[in-house]
């Protein structure tokens, strides 16, 4: 004898769905808040527990946390790493932006079928390649190439080349989305008024998608600023202010990954690394705020 299954009422199912999604959102919020709180607490210990001046931390140029000067102050100037991170990020986005925008225009405006079937999967494939592989390629190909310009080959230029390839999928995919969001009647209107295809792309499509393209560039910079492993393998990891693009330098992330495992938890050397992590987190929040601002202006 078959038993009749009881069906759950739709209203109950809706309540269950809302509860599950609310709990997931709440959990994500708690995780994010906990991470920010933990990094802030550890990072601020440098200033409130160890007595390091924030000005000295941000603007001094000597990084040697295990040593002290004549006044007993540790050498914890993070300026070389800040300059290294900003330089590598800006140079990487300058290299990647023309290629990403060109590929996006080709995929959306010139040859949508070929772009969607072949070019887009190839670009998306770059996302799945591990950072260490990019670092190895940089170490064996890009560093010897950059060495031909002078220096050892390790430096900001090598890291910028590696980062530009790594951020290419992010910038290209978001630019493609921005171009696809431009209504077709904009294109038809421009062509109807006698504009050529390139005039239509430059004056209408790219300008209409300006806020989306800027968002893509900022997201690419966020990705580049936070990359650690691949950069660490090609930048040289010398905590000094770089004198050129081909001299060894360091970034915030490279110093963090190199040093965090070699310090004692709660010591000044450890706390100041957390301060670098806090600086990195604040930069990420600033990048996100810029993206939100651009998005709000674009509406």
């Amino acid at each position: 004898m078959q038993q009749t299954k009881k069906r759950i009422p739709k209203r109950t199912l809706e309540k269950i769905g809302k509860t599950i999604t609310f709990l997931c959102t709440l959990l994500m919020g708690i995780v994010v808040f906990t991470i920010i709180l933990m990094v802030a607490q550890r990072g601020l210990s440098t200033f409130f527990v160890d007595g390091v001046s924030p000005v000295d931390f941000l603007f001094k140029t000597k990084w040697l946390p295990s040593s002290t000067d004549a006044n007993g102050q540790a050498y914890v100037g993070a300026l070389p790493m800040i300059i290294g991170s900003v330089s590598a990020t800006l140079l990487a986005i300058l290299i990647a932006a023309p290629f990403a925008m060109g590929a996006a225009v080709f995929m959306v405006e010139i040859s949508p079928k070929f772009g969607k079937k072949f070019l887009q999967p190839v670009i998306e494939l770059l996302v799945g390649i591990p950072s260490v592989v990019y670092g190895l390629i940089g170490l064996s190909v890009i560093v010897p190439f950059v060495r031909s310009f002078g220096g050892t080959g390790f430096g900001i230029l090598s890291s910028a080349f590696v980062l530009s390839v790594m951020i290419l999928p992010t910038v290209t995919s978001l630019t493609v989305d921005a171009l696809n969001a431009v209504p077709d009647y904009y294109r038809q209107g421009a062509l109807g008024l006698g504009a050529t295809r390139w005039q239509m792309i430059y004056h209408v499509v790219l300008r209409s998608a300006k806020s989306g393209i800027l968002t893509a560039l900022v997201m690419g910079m966020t990705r580049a600023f936070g990359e650690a492993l691949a950069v660490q393998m090609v930048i040289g990891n010398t905590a000094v202010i770089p004198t050129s693009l081909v001299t060894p330098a360091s970034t915030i992330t490279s110093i963090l990954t190199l040093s965090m495992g070699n310090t004692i938890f709660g010591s000044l050397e450890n706390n100041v690394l957390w301060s670098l992590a806090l600086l990195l987190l604040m930069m990420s929040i600033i990048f996100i705020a810029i993206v939100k601002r651009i998005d709000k202006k674009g509406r």
Side-chain angles (χ1 to χ4, degrees):
M1 185 177 176
Q2 289 185 344
Q3 291 184 344
T4 306
K5 291 184 179 178
K6 290 184 179 179
R7 299 185 63 182
I8 302 174
K10 287 184 179 178
R11 186 173 294 180
T12 307
L13 280 174
E14 279 190 15
K15 283 183 178 178
I16 292 171
K18 283 181 181 178
T19 305
I20 291 173
T21 52
F22 172 75
L23 289 174
C24 291
T25 308
L26 183 66
L27 181 63
M28 288 172 62
I30 290 172
V31 170
V32 172
F33 179 74
T34 305
I35 290 172
I36 293 174
L37 190 66
M38 181 181 174
V39 175
Q41 184 190 7
R42 296 293 175 193
L44 293 175
S45 297
T46 305
F47 313 117
F48 293 107
V49 177
D50 300 311
V52 174
S53 166
V55 176
D56 291 347
F57 173 72
L58 289 174
F59 297 106
K60 283 201 170 179
T61 57
K62 192 166 184 179
W63 177 263
L64 202 59
S66 57
S67 302
T68 56
D69 59 14
N71 298 321
Q73 296 294 319
Y75 296 109
V76 290
L79 190 60
M81 285 77 77
I82 296 172
I83 291 176
S85 295
V86 173
S87 304
T89 301
L90 290 178
L91 193 56
I93 200 68
L94 283 175
I95 296 170
F99 293 100
M101 291 180 63
V105 168
F106 181 82
M107 283 191 283
V108 177
E109 303 294 336
I110 309 298
S111 180
K113 287 184 179 178
F114 177 79
K116 199 168 184 178
K117 281 187 177 179
F118 299 101
L119 195 54
Q120 192 165 357
V122 169
I123 291 174
E124 288 172 352
L125 188 65
L126 294 174
V127 180
I129 298 176
S131 297
V132 67
V133 175
Y134 283 110
L136 287 172
I137 293 171
L139 204 58
S140 56
V141 177
I142 293 177
V143 169
F145 170 72
V146 172
R147 194 176 296 147
S148 62
F149 296 101
T152 61
F154 294 94
I156 290 173
L157 187 59
S158 296
S159 60
F161 278 132
V162 173
L163 284 173
S164 64
V165 178
M166 295 181 74
I167 65 175
L168 200 59
T170 302
V171 182
T172 305
S173 299
L174 291 176
T175 305
V176 166
D177 292 341
L179 296 180
N180 279 326
V182 177
D184 279 339
Y185 56 80
Y186 280 26
R187 299 175 176 84
Q188 294 163 4
L191 294 174
L193 289 171
T196 64
R197 193 177 190 185
W198 288 107
Q199 286 174 331
M200 178 269 292
I201 292 172
Y202 179 73
H203 291 289
V204 177
V205 177
L206 289 179
R207 292 193 179 188
S208 301
K210 185 171 65 177
S211 61
I213 294 171
L214 287 175
T215 300
L217 297 177
V218 175
M219 291 304 290
M221 290 172 66
T222 307
R223 170 86 171 87
F225 201 85
E227 176 53 37
L229 185 57
V231 173
Q232 178 192 326
M233 295 171 74
V234 298
I235 199 167
N237 304 305
T238 304
V240 294
I241 293 181
T243 54
S244 73
L245 295 178
V246 293
T247 55
S250 61
T251 62
I252 294 174
T253 51
S254 66
I255 292 295
L256 279 173
T257 52
L258 277 175
S259 309
M260 188 58 89
N262 301 320
T263 58
I264 300 170
F265 191 75
S267 64
L268 171 64
E269 292 88 343
N270 184 265
N271 288 340
V272 81
L273 291 175
W274 280 103
S275 298
L276 285 179
L278 178 61
L279 188 61
L280 195 64
L281 182 63
M282 289 173 65
M283 287 301 300
S284 299
I285 293 172
I286 290 171
F287 279 129
I288 292 169
I290 292 172
V291 169
K292 293 290 181 187
R293 181 74 178 170
I294 293 170
D295 186 49
K296 192 176 178 183
K297 274 193 170 182
R299 289 179 184 174

